[in-house]
Amino acid sequence: CTLGFPAAVLMSQETSSVFLNFYLLMRFRSAHWSVTRSRDLFALSFGVWRIFLNTYGTLHFVRNYRDFMDPDVVEWQMHVMAVVLVLAMVLQWYWGYEIVRSAIKSQKKSD
């Protein structure tokens, strides 16, 4: 199965959403330590799952999808999938940059 690996990589990214959802729900409702911790854990898990693993999975797929292509899948669909995965990877890198920029700005405010 050609699409099992990219599907697993894309699904693994959702593990960072738990921390983001809690942070977005509670950020204006409470000054509890868990709000700050969930923001920090989201940034950490975003880096691990959405930047590192997504980049690895995308590059692995783009380099190897022709070798392991299922004969039942039309070739142009695999090419489109490769393009979509690269665009999604670029989007994750953009959001990663924004998260780092926001963290630096927040750090400067607190100093």
Side-chain angles (χ1 to χ4, degrees):
C1 181
T2 307
L3 299 177
F5 180 71
V9 169
L10 293 173
M11 289 296 292
S12 71
Q13 294 181 27
E14 296 307 315
T15 58
S16 65
S17 297
V18 173
F19 303 116
L20 177 64
N21 290 338
F22 180 80
Y23 172 70
L24 292 176
L25 179 68
M26 300 302 288
R27 69 181 167 173
F28 297 121
R29 292 183 176 90
S30 173
H32 196 261
W33 61 268
S34 62
V35 177
T36 304
R37 185 64 46 93
S38 68
R39 182 193 66 209
D40 297 341
L41 288 171
F42 169 70
L44 177 67
S45 64
F46 188 94
V48 169
W49 295 107
R50 294 185 183 232
I51 299 295
F52 175 72
L53 185 66
N54 181 33
T55 300
Y56 170 77
T58 299
L59 295 177
H60 178 76
F61 180 80
V62 168
R63 289 177 61 189
N64 299 312
Y65 76 93
R66 287 187 178 105
D67 300 335
F68 302 107
M69 194 177 333
D70 188 355
D72 295 333
V73 178
V74 182
E75 189 173 350
W76 70 267
Q77 291 175 342
M78 296 302 284
H79 298 311
V80 169
M81 180 68 155
V83 170
V84 168
L85 285 174
V86 169
L87 291 174
M89 179 186 74
V90 170
L91 181 65
Q92 296 302 328
W93 275 94
Y94 168 76
W95 282 114
Y97 167 78
E98 290 295 323
I99 289 170
V100 169
R101 191 172 69 98
S102 173
I104 291 170
K105 188 179 187 188
S106 174
Q107 186 69 20
K108 286 183 181 178
K109 275 187 181 179
S110 67
D111 289 345

